[in-house]
Amino acid sequence: MVEFAFDIKQLFPQPIIRVQAHSLRPTVTQLRHRPHPFIANPQRGHSTMPSCQLSQILDVMGKLSADAQGLRQPVTTADKLASDQVVYLMADDAAGYWAITGLLKVGTKDLFLFDQEGCCRRAKQTPAILDFYVHESRQRCGQGKLLFQRMLEQQGWSASKCSVDRPSKKLLGFMAKHYGLVRTIPQGNNFVLYEGFFDDPMTKCNSNAARELQAASRIRSQSQGHYIRHSHDQTQVSRGQANRNTVRNGAHSGHFRRDILNQDSVLGASLPTRCVQDSRVSRSDH
Ligand code: ACO
């Protein structure tokens, strides 16, 4: 569990809180005109304001999450939190003091996606799981389920309608165990979709860009033969053998990153950038 120098209890009226960009980083106006009741020590200034404390928590937990996933850069920082993203933070006093136990960052994405038949569809504002971390000392105790379930309820989402940004093996196991989500729909980007995602009608994409996306993906599938051909077999995904760019694997991240960058430069040359929502290249956008 992660302790902080300040008392986090005041930030957690309940064990899971919802944080958005507007609740972080005090504005200049706030700092100048509104001495905050939580400022205990004027010498330390605004660092004791809740917004700054939340920012610190996000930065620390984001770094721990990146370390756990073998990522070079955190996906979650206070500075990078966009206005359409939400972070759920979990804390408890199970150890006799209040500590942070988990972080879950979600948002919405406009994506071009392939359905089960391989048709390209435009998904607007699709729910996306961007960063998920439970402290090592609390993993496999149901904490992740609590956090994820609360997020689904608050967002009004269902698990099968969520796209997942390059899930780790642990997250694939998590989704399978708690939500029965095993079979994935292969994509041309780093997002993983589960069967059921396309159950509601969505806009068919018949633009040139979509056709190019399909063509580019076919080229990719030829160079990554196993993945596209066998991607409905969950074991192919969870083993991370062929779909290396889709499953987060810290131990190999540096090596794979170069591969992905090369592939994306091919895709990027032929497609509008908004067609290819490549999370690995644009992690800072999350
Ligand atoms: N190995 C394999 N599966 C695991 C592991 C593990 N070490 N840890 C959790 N799981 C999966 C399993 O299915 C497990 O069920 P089991 O114990 O019966 O095998 C299930 O998750 C446990 O469920 P919870 O206890 O509710 O989940 P937990 O509190 O462990 O949180 C989480 C899951 C967030 C994935 C956690 O394991 C974690 O922080 N992992 C490290 C960071 C990470 O991989 N995050 C996801 C990155 S991808 C993304 O953020 C989009």
Side-chain angles (χ1 to χ4, degrees), residues 131-132 134 140-142 144-145 165 168 170 173 177-178 248:
D131 198 12
F132 190 17
V134 169
R140 298 188 110 154
C141 301
K145 173 74 186 307
D165 182 7
S168 65
K170 289 183 182 181
K177 174 176 176 161
H178 293 303
R248 298 186 196 204

Side-chain angles (χ1 to χ4, degrees), residues 14 16 29 56-57 64 113 117 236 238 269 280:
Q14 62 274 340
I16 297 175
T29 315
Q56 285 180 50
I57 293 172
L64 288 172
L113 300 168
E117 285 75 44
Q236 293 293 326
S238 61
R280 189 180 295 255

Side-chain angles (χ1 to χ4, degrees), residues 23 26 66 68 87 144 283:
S23 47
V87 173
R283 301 300 287 174

Side-chain angles (χ1 to χ4, degrees), residues 65 68-69 129-136 138-146 164-171 173-174 177-178 248:
S65 179
Q69 297 170 47
I129 309 302
L130 304 174
D131 198 12
F132 190 17
Y133 171 69
V134 169
H135 189 261
E136 282 72 9
R138 306 298 294 277
Q139 287 178 16
R140 298 188 110 154
C141 301
Q143 297 292 301
K145 173 74 186 307
L146 281 176
V164 187
D165 182 7
R166 199 155 47 94
S168 65
K169 291 178 188 177
K170 289 183 182 181
L171 187 52
F174 174 93
K177 174 176 176 161
H178 293 303
R248 298 186 196 204

Side-chain angles (χ1 to χ4, degrees), residues 112 120-122 203-212 214:
F112 283 89
C120 182
R121 291 166 179 257
R122 175 188 292 169
T203 312
K204 278 258 183 186
C205 169
N206 56 7
S207 67
N208 287 338
R211 281 193 289 275
E212 288 178 42
Q214 288 180 289

Side-chain angles (χ1 to χ4, degrees), residues 7-163:
D7 179 16
I8 64 163
K9 173 73 179 97
Q10 65 189 4
L11 302 170
F12 284 84
Q14 62 274 340
I16 297 175
I17 62 166
R18 203 168 180 268
V19 178
Q20 286 182 276
H22 61 72
S23 47
L24 302 172
R25 296 185 301 275
T27 63
V28 174
T29 315
Q30 278 179 309
L31 289 175
R32 194 185 301 142
H33 299 298
R34 192 164 63 89
H36 200 278
F38 287 108
I39 298 180
N41 177 359
Q43 302 264 305
R44 289 166 62 201
H46 67 275
S47 65
T48 53
M49 292 176 71
S51 54
C52 292
Q53 294 175 339
L54 285 171
S55 297
Q56 285 180 50
I57 293 172
L58 253 60
D59 289 347
V60 169
M61 295 300 286
K63 174 73 168 63
L64 288 172
S65 179
D67 290 346
Q69 297 170 47
L71 302 175
R72 287 184 197 160
Q73 299 291 330
V75 174
T76 303
T77 66
D79 277 349
K80 288 190 292 190
L81 192 65
S83 57
D84 62 345
Q85 296 174 340
V86 182
V87 173
Y88 291 85
L89 287 174
M90 183 165 60
D92 67 30
D93 61 351
Y97 51 86
W98 278 85
I100 309 291
T101 55
L103 167 147
L104 174 55
K105 178 167 125 176
V106 300
T108 54
K109 292 274 175 191
D110 290 346
L111 298 171
F112 283 89
L113 300 168
F114 294 115
D115 63 16
Q116 286 97 325
E117 285 75 44
C119 294
C120 182
R121 291 166 179 257
R122 175 188 292 169
K124 286 190 170 182
Q125 300 287 295
T126 192
I129 309 302
L130 304 174
D131 198 12
F132 190 17
Y133 171 69
V134 169
H135 189 261
E136 282 72 9
S137 64
R138 306 298 294 277
Q139 287 178 16
R140 298 188 110 154
C141 301
Q143 297 292 301
K145 173 74 186 307
L146 281 176
L147 187 54
F148 200 90
Q149 193 60 34
R150 174 61 60 88
M151 178 277 296
L152 290 178
E153 288 162 14
Q154 294 261 310
Q155 298 292 124
W157 296 350
S158 64
S160 64
K161 299 290 183 187
C162 291
S163 58

